[in-house]
Amino acid sequence: MSSDTEGTSKESAEPTGGAHSSAEAGGADTAAHRAAGGEPPAAGELEQTAPTEGGTRPAAPPTRSRKGMFGVPDSGDTSGFGGLQLPGWTPPPAERPFGGWFDEFADDFAAALDERGVGRSAIQQITIDRGEITFYVRREKIVDICRTLRDDEYLRFEMCSSVSGVDYGVDVPQRLHVVYHLLSMTYRRRIRLEVALDVDDPHVPSIVEVYPTADWHERETWDMFGIVFDGHPALTRILMPDDWEGHPQRKDYPLGGIPVEYKGAEIPPPDERRAYS
Amino acid sequence: MSTQDNTDVYAATETQTTEGTVYTLTGGDWDTLIDEEHDDRIVINMGPQHPSTHGVLRLVLELEGETVQQARSVIGYLHTGIEKNCEYRTWTQAVTFVTRMDYLSPIFNETGYCLAVEKLLGVEAPRRAQIGRVMLMEINRIGSHLVCLATGGMELGALTGMTAGFREREEVLHLLEFLTGLRMNHAFVRPGGLAQDFPEGWYERVTDFIEVMRERLPQYDKLLTGQTIWRQRLENVGYLPLDGCIALGATGPILRSAGLPWDLRKVEPYCGYEEYDFEVPVATEADCYARYRLRLAEIHESLKIIEQAAAKLKETPGPVMVEDRKIAWPAQLSIGSDGMGNSLEHVRKIMGQSMESLIHHFKLVTEGFQVPPGQAYAAVESPRGELGFHVVSDGGTRPVRVHVREPSFVNLQTMPAMCEGGMVADVIAAVASIDPVMGGVDR
């Protein structure tokens, strides 16, 4: 991958090309971004889409720097056993025009939020990447946002495909994200909502009253990530046993496993093997 | 032969606990228990080991007589941590994990995952690989639907349905074994394409299979579709109308049985499904019988797609893996004396001729390829509904997160809505019509 500077999104995308739609223009510079060493975007860049009045930062700001493996000054470990820590990465906010149906949709969405008294400030950041649109939203507004998306006649997201969590790693601020995938069967559109949470305050309002299907999804997310969905009718573990301690899919929860001996050599468990990222 | 007394040896024994009287029943008469302080409301645990619960699924049923007042399902007995495991393997290795989730539709798991990874990579598999995926998926869909009919029949007492269903499914597995090398858990679809091209003689095998299925499928109509008992067990049972389906997130045959022709192959075509001529069967009765008929009709449609895909594949030459050597897994495979492995030619090249090839091979296999940071969601229409993969990358050689929107998991939420208020025997029919695969539900 060439280390071009910003703005060479198309060139520094994967060489084999692929079906890049015009809508991806804003997001395809992920590759360029990464190639440029994952430099954090300027603080102003983050907040240009919507004003954030002292609230939470939408996508976790990158504070983690690259270390381990090649080109490191301190340890010089190139074996892979120390592991490579990649620099933090923040999805860049999209710039207008978004392309495709995204511009019109973003306008309709913002107007519907204003109309229902939620306010367009509930959207913290819009990211368009690989033909998918992601709205980073304020957690206290998530139920109202979902209800607006479901009920507004220009939006009509009848179906909640999936609710899940992502843990971006121990040293990332606001490391826990709740990700909602919504589907509009009327307009055949998919969007993604994302709420970033502090690990010390992993609370988010439950959307079960809007989308009953979120019941089990939220229970699974609680089970796996320890994210508390306030207002959920019965937030209990679903996959792990009731008396289980810890939340297995957090990054600081070990994978487990024991070393295995094979022909005299000892093979370490998967999470202790050499890793290049 | 001692003195005769009137104690009933089969009566329930009772013990006093802090929670009240606990009865241990061994099959006595219920009437001995019902008096003025006990009503006939009982809570029974069905499963997790029960021949009629479609796998390790536990149903907690609150019954009044034979009427189900409340039903809840308890899952997690087959949780294997596949999502977590994927985070510790390379992007390619994760295929071998996801294929094991819903073990009745492994090709769908692989394809859904690979489509998501390819979206992140910004590549598209070559046309021959896309057609091959479609053909494999539809063969797999037939096998999955046949197991649904077979186990559903068994659970409802139609044992001939089971033997017939598994007989035909064996044909599917034989064909898949011939095409991919394995009966199940193929790991044949890889990010960027397929593991290798189909073996010689694949076209004849596929057309033979279509012929056999066309001949045998009408037997199901004779055996089940018009059969009085089968209809009485399924008609007007497990009713779930369209609004209930959408609120509860049900997709696949459940949603289509309620009247909405929602099939991702038509509404969001992937792998070139827009090129194929097929119908989306739909019904409006929203009951178990409609779902049974839809699955049978979908098998016929799948045969049509397989026929078209095989014809296309025959005419489409070319590689089955992307050209980019940074992504394409080394797969110059051949069968040697010790089984399948890299071909001697490839081994000779990397070991004897080109140091760079060896380094490249070694790095790609041990380290894997890097995926640009970001997230993507890709969905395919599995036999059970929308199978979605949400994958997140931080730019490394391993996924940060692989979340699977499993249709079995979501559809199983509809069980209480279908069962409550009905008879306990209908719970079996309803669960069978949801067709949850516990490997997919628990992951």
Side-chain angles (χ1 to χ4, degrees), chain B residues 101-112:
Chain B
M101 294 184 312
D102 182 342
Y103 42 80
L104 293 185
S105 55
I107 302 280
F108 293 91
N109 300 336
E110 296 167 19
T111 309

Side-chain angles (χ1 to χ4, degrees), chain A:
Chain A
M1 201 175 286
S2 63
S3 57
D4 294 336
T5 44
E6 306 285 335
T8 56
S9 57
K10 284 297 176 194
E11 288 88 332
S12 60
E14 286 303 313
T16 41
H20 282 284
S21 74
S22 61
E24 297 170 50
D29 54 10
T30 52
H33 194 68
R34 163 130 182 71
E39 287 297 313
E45 199 183 326
L46 268 178
E47 277 144 31
Q48 65 185 200
T49 323
T52 45
E53 47 276 352
T56 50
R57 293 287 284 276
T63 53
R64 198 175 63 190
S65 58
R66 183 186 162 114
K67 70 171 192 227
M69 295 296 289
F70 310 106
V72 279
D74 47 348
S75 74
D77 166 35
T78 58
S79 67
F81 286 108
L84 167 68
Q85 194 184 49
L86 288 164
W89 180 78
T90 302
E95 282 171 34
R96 285 187 186 261
F98 298 152
W101 51 273
F102 296 140
D103 289 286
E104 187 197 342
F105 173 77
D107 293 339
D108 285 346
F109 184 26
L113 286 177
D114 284 343
E115 195 181 307
R116 285 169 189 264
V118 187
R120 63 180 69 205
S121 60
I123 305 171
Q124 292 173 300
Q125 180 182 322
I126 302 173
T127 293
I128 294 169
D129 185 16
R130 296 171 173 92
E132 296 178 0
I133 189 164
T134 308
F135 293 91
Y136 292 86
V137 299
R138 294 182 183 283
R139 69 168 169 187
E140 62 274 14
K141 301 276 191 188
I142 185 71
V143 180
D144 291 331
I145 289 171
C146 285
R147 187 174 282 115
T148 307
L149 284 165
R150 186 193 67 179
D151 293 346
D152 191 273
E153 60 176 321
Y154 297 108
L155 306 175
R156 287 221 195 283
F157 284 83
E158 299 96 345
M159 174 88 90
C160 175
S161 273
S162 155
V163 180
S164 69
V166 180
D167 184 352
Y168 278 91
V170 179
D171 43 2
V172 175
Q174 295 209 308
R175 56 186 266 212
L176 294 175
H177 286 216
V178 188
V179 185
Y180 305 82
H181 286 96
L182 304 184
L183 165 66
S184 165
M185 293 174 144
T186 310
Y187 298 110
R188 297 192 181 170
R189 289 168 176 173
R190 286 181 190 276
I191 60 166
R192 180 186 296 125
L193 304 179
E194 208 163 321
V195 177
L197 300 173
D198 284 316
V199 71
D200 303 324
D201 180 28
H203 286 263
V204 67
S206 165
I207 61 159
V208 172
E209 56 173 293
V210 183
Y211 294 113
T213 181
D215 183 347
W216 281 20
H217 292 290
E218 289 183 351
R219 280 177 65 191
E220 189 193 328
T221 311
W222 150 248
D223 197 355
M224 291 295 145
F225 291 92
I227 294 168
V228 182
F229 291 87
D230 297 313
H232 187 285
L235 195 67
T236 51
R237 286 189 182 272
I238 186 164
L239 295 178
M240 303 304 285
D242 289 340
D243 55 354
W244 196 261
E245 277 178 31
H247 299 283
Q249 287 207 350
R250 287 208 179 169
K251 289 287 182 189
D252 47 4
Y253 189 99
L255 180 68
I258 54 165
V260 178
E261 197 184 304
Y262 181 69
K263 291 192 176 176
E266 200 179 73
I267 293 125
D271 55 345
E272 289 166 28
R273 288 178 202 162
R274 65 170 73 186
Y276 302 91
S277 67

Side-chain angles (χ1 to χ4, degrees), chain B residues 13-27:
Chain B
T13 55
E14 51 179 90
T15 43
Q16 299 297 327
T17 68
T18 48
E19 309 237 322
T21 317
V22 170
Y23 299 96
T24 307
L25 294 167
T26 51

Side-chain angles (χ1 to χ4, degrees), chain B residues 164-238:
Chain B
F166 276 110
R167 182 189 64 189
E168 263 73 88
R169 188 217 181 199
E170 204 61 22
E171 298 288 334
V172 171
L173 293 185
H174 280 151
L175 181 61
L176 284 176
E177 184 183 15
F178 177 76
L179 293 173
T180 70
L182 289 167
R183 285 160 61 87
M184 298 168 82
N185 307 329
H186 315 275
F188 190 70
V189 182
R190 301 251 171 93
L194 301 176
Q196 55 174 319
D197 211 329
F198 296 119
E200 215 167 296
W202 66 268
Y203 185 74
E204 289 70 31
R205 292 289 290 259
V206 172
T207 41
D208 288 352
F209 167 77
I210 297 174
E211 219 165 275
V212 169
M213 291 304 291
R214 289 244 159 94
E215 186 188 312
R216 292 197 189 160
L217 277 179
Q219 294 177 7
Y220 287 86
D221 289 332
K222 282 189 191 157
L223 182 66
L224 296 172
T225 311
Q227 193 211 91
T228 322
I229 303 171
W230 184 252
R231 292 183 67 144
Q232 283 176 347
R233 286 298 304 273
L234 295 184
E235 276 178 331
N236 300 319
V237 167

Side-chain angles (χ1 to χ4, degrees), chain B residues 144-162:
Chain B
S144 173
H145 279 345
L146 284 170
V147 175
C148 174
L149 301 187
T151 53
M154 180 199 71
E155 288 157 13
L156 294 171
L159 274 178
T160 323
M162 182 192 83

